[in-house]
Amino acid sequence: MTNRERRRFIAGAICPKCNTMDTIMLYFENNVEKLKCVACDYQESQTDDSVKEQSKGSDNIIGVFKPE
């Protein structure tokens, strides 16, 4: 069985690197939201808000783990 990722293009979005319109796609990888330009391979990742909040106090934190 294959694990398919849903990739969506964002209408009207302009790539910050190559300034091309309608080439930015949005997708999730390992529960992280990512943007990628199909024209120039620019990439950007958005981390979880809880990780951002907890890591603001110290630059030495690599990540926050949630035990299950």
Side-chain angles (χ1 to χ4, degrees), residues 23-34:
T23 59
I24 299 288
M25 67 177 174
L26 170 72
Y27 63 100
F28 283 91
E29 185 175 83
N30 298 324
N31 293 326
V32 176
E33 186 177 60
K34 295 189 176 194

Side-chain angles (χ1 to χ4, degrees):
M1 188 182 298
T2 61
N3 187 8
R4 295 184 57 173
E5 294 179 2
R6 179 183 226 180
R7 296 177 183 237
R8 298 174 290 170
F9 282 90
I10 303 180
I14 298 174
C15 176
K17 184 176 177 184
C18 68
N19 294 321
T20 308
M21 185 182 286
D22 294 334
T23 59
I24 299 288
M25 67 177 174
L26 170 72
Y27 63 100
F28 283 91
E29 185 175 83
N30 298 324
N31 293 326
V32 176
E33 186 177 60
K34 295 189 176 194
L35 297 174
K36 182 177 181 180
C37 177
V38 295
C40 70
D41 289 332
Y42 168 81
Q43 294 184 4
E44 185 177 326
S45 298
Q46 173 129 11
T47 58
D48 191 13
D49 289 337
S50 63
V51 173
K52 285 183 184 178
E53 290 174 14
Q54 292 181 18
S55 64
K56 284 183 182 176
S58 174
D59 292 336
N60 296 329
I61 296 176
I62 296 172
V64 177
F65 299 96
K66 298 178 193 175
E68 294 182 4

